[in-house]
Amino acid sequence: MGQRYAFVVVGVIFFCLLFSAGLRATPSVLLDPLQASFGWSRATISLAAAIGIFFYGMVGPFAAAAMDHFGLRRVLLTALFVMAASSAASAYMTQTWHLIALWGVFSGIGSGAVATVLGATIANRWFLKHRGLAMGILTASTATGNLVFLPLLAALASSGDWTRAVWIVAAAMVVMVPLVWRLVPDSPDSVGLLPYGADRDDPPLPVAPRTGLIAATFGALGRASRTRAFWFLFATFWVCGFTTNGLVGTHLIAMCGDHGIAAVQAAGLLALMGVFDLVGTTASGWLTDRYDPRKLLFVYYGLRGVSLMMLPYTDFSLYSLSIFAIFYGLDWIATVPPTLRLATDIFGDRDAPVVFGWIVAGHQIGAATAAWMGGFVREVSGSYLMAFVLSGATGIAAAVIALMIKRRPMAGVPAAA
């Protein structure tokens, strides 16, 4: 094995993230089937989705520290098992608390360890060269899995037996277990390798072990939270979650249904977004290695805000929705590589994965807020109009905040190369 083994690891983690994102997409296709099967309100089902998104985000910093403390492979295998078990068990649920426990708490905790923070940990451990590109590829898998799985899951959920969808998700998690066990070491040095791009004559210093899981998680937060840069990054990523998987990912299918568009067709639009997200986010990683990430974030958030404000005023024809899907797909989660780059530049390689985990928590708090808000606005007003206009306004605000971030390293952190 050589340094290029890093790409084997990226390949396995790509599919872990892809399938985990498919799990997170499942509640959006279960809205109508669960309402029809059990009579549960859309607000209740949206609450379960919001709880899942919340735990998905809050687990991130603890998962990053746990990977450092217990080993990346052990944490990843445990998370895959939790996701498989919670998905399979949901086929037998009959009460709303079952829904909240399985698709809120347990799936949120499991998927939170197999999320953007995992991609950040892999990129920082296995790459010195092309780190932004690696993060772009892994980030694309997260969003693309969320979107590409939707047509299949929507078709299964709409077939008259919604449990088929949850069994497919459980099976996908089980498939990844032997691949992770066999092909994903905890770190390059654990198998005698160097990160991709490292010089054999001048290898990077080994990372000192952390004192404890809780101390590492909250210690990194304590150091970061004393800087304005952390709160600016937290705020912009809150908006990222609010404007993507929180609102569009959870409610676009239902919004299209309000305009007479079938769930499978609407899910196809999200799948189209996923295809273009794979291109857009990978390209964002490439751009992040070459340009000021703050300016990239300004462009991404600004264009996103404008597109969300315009969507409710279109005619919801195939033409207009396809244009939106392509444009929004390119920008879906292109914000992640520049955000991680800023976190690494400011907080250093050691703290960056955990700090980024806390920033991702902001993303998921924003997403959970939008998931609940969208359902609430729809029930109160009978339309998603105000939800999308408000979401677009937050995108414009995030674009301005991105330019206010100071890229200087925090005290005690060496400047990035």
Side-chain angles (χ1 to χ4, degrees):
M1 293 188 297
Q3 289 188 15
R4 292 186 179 179
Y5 190 76
F7 292 100
V8 175
V9 175
V10 165
V12 176
I13 299 302
F14 180 95
F15 284 101
C16 288
L17 293 169
L18 193 80
F19 294 151
S20 175
L23 176 142
R24 284 265 44 93
T26 304
S28 67
V29 302
L30 294 180
L31 276 170
D32 290 335
L34 292 180
Q35 192 171 19
S37 296
F38 300 106
W40 299 337
S41 71
R42 186 174 294 188
T44 298
I45 301 169
S46 294
L47 175 63
I51 292 172
I53 292 170
F54 174 77
F55 276 100
Y56 173 82
M58 292 306 297
V59 163
F62 296 93
M67 290 172 194
D68 207 15
H69 191 77
F70 299 110
L72 183 147
R73 182 166 58 180
R74 185 178 299 177
V75 172
L76 180 52
L77 289 171
T78 301
L80 290 170
F81 173 78
V82 170
M83 287 189 289
S86 62
S87 299
S90 70
Y92 304 101
M93 64 186 177
T94 57
Q95 304 293 325
T96 54
W97 73 265
H98 297 163
L99 173 70
I100 291 172
L102 295 172
W103 282 105
V105 179
F106 288 108
S107 73
I109 291 173
S111 59
V114 190
T116 310
V117 169
L118 173 62
T121 301
I122 292 295
N124 278 9
R125 286 189 184 185
W126 285 88
F127 290 85
L128 290 181
K129 185 180 180 182
H130 300 318
R131 183 178 287 175
L133 179 61
M135 190 61 194
I137 294 170
L138 293 175
T139 301
S141 72
T142 302
T144 301
N146 191 319
L147 303 173
V148 169
F149 269 92
L150 280 171
L152 171 63
L153 295 175
L156 292 171
S158 303
S159 66
D161 182 4
W162 59 266
T163 63
R164 294 177 183 176
V166 301
W167 282 116
I168 285 292
V169 171
M173 303 305 155
V174 172
V175 166
M176 294 310 303
V177 169
L179 294 176
V180 170
W181 177 262
R182 181 69 181 86
L183 299 175
V184 180
D186 287 332
S187 62
D189 61 275
S190 69
V191 287
L193 297 177
L194 292 174
Y196 184 78
D199 186 349
R200 292 192 175 276
D201 296 328
D202 187 21
L205 295 174
V207 177
R210 296 185 185 272
T211 56
L213 175 63
I214 302 300
T217 305
F218 287 100
L221 174 63
R223 291 186 290 274
S225 64
R226 292 191 288 269
T227 69
R228 287 186 179 181
F230 172 80
W231 292 111
F232 286 155
L233 289 170
F234 188 93
T236 55
F237 233 42
W238 185 96
V239 171
C240 185
F242 194 87
T243 53
T244 52
N245 56 314
L247 183 64
V248 176
T250 303
H251 291 286
L252 183 62
I253 292 176
M255 183 182 185
C256 288
D258 290 345
H259 291 80
I261 300 171
V264 175
Q265 291 176 299
L269 290 172
L270 288 174
L272 182 62
M273 288 186 193
V275 172
F276 280 90
D277 166 76
L278 185 62
V279 176
T281 307
T282 303
S284 177
W286 183 86
L287 291 170
T288 299
D289 286 329
R290 290 161 175 78
Y291 299 103
D292 187 340
R294 296 169 298 182
K295 294 178 181 177
L296 295 177
L297 290 177
F298 173 79
V299 173
Y300 298 157
Y301 283 120
L303 293 177
R304 184 182 302 179
V306 171
S307 64
L308 284 172
M309 289 180 173
M310 292 178 62
L311 177 63
Y313 297 100
T314 65
D315 59 3
F316 280 82
S317 65
L318 177 63
Y319 177 74
S320 61
L321 287 174
S322 296
I323 291 176
F324 174 80
I326 293 170
F327 180 81
Y328 206 76
L330 290 170
D331 191 30
W332 177 266
I333 202 164
T335 55
V336 174
T339 301
L340 176 62
R341 177 57 187 268
L342 287 170
T344 303
D345 288 350
I346 296 167
F347 304 110
D349 285 344
R350 176 170 174 76
D351 276 354
V354 178
V355 173
F356 186 66
W358 285 110
I359 294 169
V360 171
H363 183 283
Q364 298 312 120
I365 293 171
T369 304
W372 171 83
M373 182 272 296
F376 177 79
V377 169
R378 171 62 176 77
E379 289 210 348
V380 170
S381 68
S383 168
Y384 282 106
L385 173 63
M386 288 307 302
F388 274 76
V389 171
L390 175 62
S391 184
T394 65
I396 302 299
V400 175
I401 294 172
L403 294 180
M404 298 168 61
I405 299 170
K406 302 297 183 184
R407 203 174 173 182
R408 294 189 299 270
M410 192 174 65
V413 174

